[in-house]
Amino acid sequence: MTDTAALKRRMGRVGVWSSALGGESAAFEREAAAEVERLGFGTLWVGETPTGKEALVHAALLLGATQRLMVATGIANIWVRDATAAANGANALAEAFDGRFVLGLGVSHAPVVSARGHDYRRPVSAMRTYLDAMDATKYAGPLPEPAPLLLAALRPKMLELAAQRTQGAHPYFVPVEHTVRARAILGPEPILAPEQMVVLDTDPERTRRTARRFMSLYLRLPNYVNNLLDLGWSDKDCADGGSDALVDAIVAWGEPEKIIDRVRAHLDAGADHVCIQPLTDTPREALEHLRVLAAADLVST
């Protein structure tokens, strides 16, 4: 049984989220993970894409390059590997790396799932069935403690499932008001770990242009748009890369103090851990932004 309070402490209050990191060489990734650890961030989150590194192999690479850093998948797609493979792989990582691995699971998105030949029509039911199969898996290796699970959850039914069956939720592409709603649905104990995009730039026009370059992908995916509509944003807000108001709600930008303020807003709203994603052209540039934010004392927020 996972000690959720202890897991929260190990994950820390501030982490780092990156998808672009997976496109780099293993050598660079090892250096980057070690740097994230040196800077004091508690957890490094990595995404899984159809063209990128397999999630559990990727996590092993990063765990092997660090000593204390927690590594989490954000997220491992349930349609990529069956439940037995996910359970066995996660447990192997948990034992090999002293409980530093967190398995973030998600249902991904209809276009990605359909391209793999699967039916996306009932994602919550699919996740429930997947968790049932994971629970039924018999793992023969040594296992001091199973790997903790978090669900990529945005809307009420998936958040409820996260609270009932896992250690918590990892919402992505959300404003602070979602954190308020998510905490109310999850209850007080489960982990709530939202992702937060950030841009270290004080020029509004340039910053929003950068933000829209990243946001446009997500605003073409119904899961994210429907979640924003549920929160009261309009179709117009979600069009053309996002209105100025939506950009400013999704992406924290400006001086480091502005980024810190947004992280604190999530924490005050009920988050236990906030993983920041610098929106930069390259992972090397993202590391430089992380150095600036760490120097501004973000990690002790």
Side-chain angles (χ1 to χ4, degrees), residues 206-218 220 241 247 279-282 285:
R206 186 170 57 233
T207 295
R208 291 180 180 132
R209 187 166 59 246
T210 297
R212 288 188 175 99
R213 191 168 74 246
F214 287 86
M215 289 177 60
S216 60
L217 167 65
Y218 303 109
R220 293 195 294 269
V247 168
L279 303 184
T280 60
D281 291 332
T282 68
E285 188 179 355

Side-chain angles (χ1 to χ4, degrees), residues 16-44:
V16 174
W17 198 102
S18 178
S19 179
L21 189 61
E24 300 296 316
S25 69
F28 175 82
E29 287 210 64
R30 292 187 187 99
E31 293 175 4
E35 176 77 356
V36 169
E37 182 174 70
R38 282 194 296 270
L39 291 173
F41 293 97
T43 305
L44 176 57

Side-chain angles (χ1 to χ4, degrees), residues 5-16 40-45 69-70 183 191-196 259-276 297-301:
L7 179 60
K8 290 177 183 180
R9 290 192 295 271
R10 293 192 72 185
M11 291 179 67
R13 286 165 66 84
V14 184
V16 174
F41 293 97
T43 305
L44 176 57
W45 298 75
L69 187 71
M70 298 288 286
R183 176 51 72 197
I191 293 170
L192 178 55
E195 173 269 351
Q196 174 64 63
I259 310 301
I260 293 170
D261 286 345
R262 181 68 61 85
V263 169
R264 285 178 177 152
H266 277 289
L267 294 169
D268 290 344
D272 300 294
H273 172 93
V274 181
C275 39
I276 62 168
D297 217 19
L298 172 64
V299 294
S300 63
T301 297

